[in-house]
Amino acid sequence: MIAPGRHGAACRPALPQRRNTPSSLAFVSAAPHRNIPHKAGSSMTLMKPLALAIATAVAAGPATAQDVTLRIGHVEAPSSTTQVLLEAVAGKVAEKTGGAVEMAIFPQSQLGGQREMTEAVQFGALDATAGPTAFMSGFNPLAAIMDIPFLYPADPAKAQQVRDGGFADAFCKTFDSRGFTCIGLYPNGTKQFTSNNPIATLDDLSGQKFRVMESAVLVDSLKPIGVTGVPIPFGELYTSLQTGVVDGQENPIDTIYNMKFFEVQSHLMLTRHGAIENVVLFNPAVWSGLKPEYQDAITSSLREVTPDMIQHKRAAAEKSLEEIRAAGVDVAEPSPELLDNLRERMFPAARDAFLRGAGSEGQQLLDAYQAAYDSVMN
């Protein structure tokens, strides 16, 4: 199954010239790959340059003595939280396996965009990828559950309890029938609202136009608060804000800072309403071909480093917020009552939009989420 990815992600860094140099060089891939027939009209042609990039990187140095070298790609910068997470996982895996398993990490779209890498994992040309769920709904419609606002509690510890309470496992299982093995779900920030108009109250929000990713769930979530969601590609967002095509947008604090959106926005509301979640996807044949102790080393390491990764992301957001405040942007801290009001309006509309697109399978996933959420909050 090949499906187009979703464009206009909330968080994608600007990319410099690519060099196919992993952070931990890999020279031999001992993992098996599936033989999948070419589908007419599919995007297999996208695999050729990516496969060449992998081959070039793999051939860049002398052979190593590892039993297995796993190639994992992602779109974020070398300084990103995802890169920090994967490097920490790689170090722990190497330690736990006595150096038998090496993870070669290719950051900043060195092996292609997220859609290309996800397809490569699906077809077996790449071992694994770590990417935002926002890019995954073209491959797995149930990934759109992450577009529902206020999905998690505001407290990061409680949010992690919801993931660990069965929701992350249920979410990952939805990839099984779609050509992937999902081994983990981890947080990568929360979205806030910005605008060129005041946004401190519900009355302020009503009548404004906000850029969103191309998602029916996101568009519908804004209607109950009087905001019109306008899908616009991420690369066009700065200009759209600058020229008034839209009044505002939603993104994590560090993205707002790094992409300079604060230069063309005068107001920010710290709603923390939207979860930015990433998944780690393996090719099923690659994953099943690993020894059980290697699988356990990878999954346990991912769980162990997640708390540190959350702290890293939080520190980046705090530093970015300081700079945004210093630039003169009006920052509104909504009251708990206002946040509750926003959730009461936005969550049901987004949930219904998700279920219209996901059907009975989506209802099962939503039930698993609700059970995990209720166990934490009640």
Side-chain angles (χ1 to χ4, degrees):
M1 177 194 69
I2 288 292
R6 211 167 72 193
H7 300 290
C11 179
R12 181 171 180 175
L15 304 180
Q17 184 177 0
R18 296 175 185 168
R19 294 185 301 164
N20 297 318
T21 306
S23 62
S24 174
L25 285 175
F27 309 112
V28 178
S29 177
H33 293 144
R34 296 178 297 166
N35 293 318
I36 300 180
H38 173 74
K39 294 183 180 180
S42 77
S43 52
M44 279 296 290
T45 53
L46 293 173
M47 311 296 287
K48 294 179 181 178
L50 184 136
L52 178 60
I54 294 173
T56 301
V58 167
T64 65
Q66 285 79 18
D67 288 347
V68 178
T69 302
L70 299 170
R71 304 149 302 161
I72 180 167
H74 66 91
V75 300
E76 297 187 52
S79 60
S80 68
T81 298
T82 288
Q83 182 68 17
V84 171
L85 170 83
L86 293 176
E87 288 178 350
V89 170
K92 283 182 172 289
V93 168
E95 181 180 352
K96 291 178 180 181
T97 63
V101 178
E102 180 183 29
M103 295 177 66
I105 306 165
F106 297 82
Q108 202 145 14
S109 298
Q110 291 178 19
L111 302 181
Q114 187 60 61
R115 181 173 67 88
E116 294 171 298
M117 288 188 288
T118 305
E119 287 180 349
V121 170
Q122 192 178 49
F123 276 89
L126 180 63
D127 300 323
T129 184
T133 58
F135 286 101
M136 303 300 177
S137 63
F139 299 89
N140 179 3
L142 275 72
I145 194 172
M146 297 301 177
D147 289 342
I148 299 176
F150 299 101
L151 192 69
Y152 292 115
D155 183 341
K158 290 184 177 180
Q160 190 59 40
Q161 289 174 21
V162 173
R163 295 183 192 92
D164 295 340
F167 176 54
D169 288 342
F171 181 78
C172 274
K173 286 178 182 177
T174 66
F175 285 89
D176 290 350
S177 62
R178 294 170 168 90
F180 304 97
T181 296
C182 172
I183 69 161
L185 174 71
Y186 65 93
N188 201 21
T190 55
K191 292 186 287 187
Q192 327 291 336
F193 286 137
T194 69
S195 178
N196 272 324
N197 301 310
I199 49 173
T201 68
L202 278 172
D203 288 341
D204 289 340
L205 289 166
S206 183
Q208 298 199 43
K209 294 187 295 183
F210 283 4
R211 178 267 178 184
V212 295
M213 293 179 290
E214 189 174 347
S215 163
V217 175
L218 292 176
V219 171
D220 283 9
S221 74
L222 295 175
K223 291 178 181 178
I225 59 173
V227 174
T228 300
V230 182
I232 294 175
F234 187 70
E236 300 174 16
L237 178 51
Y238 186 99
T239 302
S240 297
L241 295 169
Q242 187 178 42
T243 58
V245 173
V246 288
D247 301 300
Q249 58 89 51
E250 55 173 14
N251 258 301
I253 288 290
D254 52 342
T255 301
I256 294 167
Y257 177 71
N258 292 332
M259 300 307 296
K260 308 298 182 184
F261 296 146
F262 69 95
E263 295 179 346
V264 289
Q265 297 277 267
S266 53
H267 299 271
L268 183 151
M269 181 191 278
L270 297 174
T271 51
R272 303 173 183 88
H273 64 279
I276 303 294
E277 300 283 290
N278 282 24
V279 286
V280 180
L281 301 178
F282 270 78
N283 172 270
V286 170
W287 184 254
S288 63
L290 295 174
K291 297 177 182 178
E293 57 265 34
Y294 293 172
Q295 294 178 354
D296 181 68
I298 295 170
T299 55
S300 63
S301 296
L302 180 60
R303 288 193 302 270
E304 290 164 10
V305 304
T306 295
D308 289 340
M309 183 275 302
I310 293 173
Q311 291 296 331
H312 181 274
K313 188 70 177 181
R314 183 183 300 172
E318 290 174 353
K319 181 178 180 182
S320 296
L321 183 58
E322 288 178 6
E323 296 293 339
I324 291 170
R325 288 184 189 273
V329 174
D330 177 66
V331 178
E333 291 269 10
S335 67
E337 293 77 17
L338 177 54
L339 292 175
D340 288 344
N341 200 338
L342 286 170
R343 189 180 196 275
E344 289 171 3
R345 293 173 182 234
M346 298 175 70
F347 187 97
R351 175 200 61 207
D352 294 347
F354 166 70
L355 291 175
R356 283 196 297 272
S360 59
E361 193 179 5
Q363 184 64 63
Q364 293 175 5
L365 179 59
L366 189 66
D367 290 344
Y369 155 76
Q370 196 65 55
Y373 184 90
D374 289 345
S375 69
V376 173
M377 300 302 291
N378 295 333

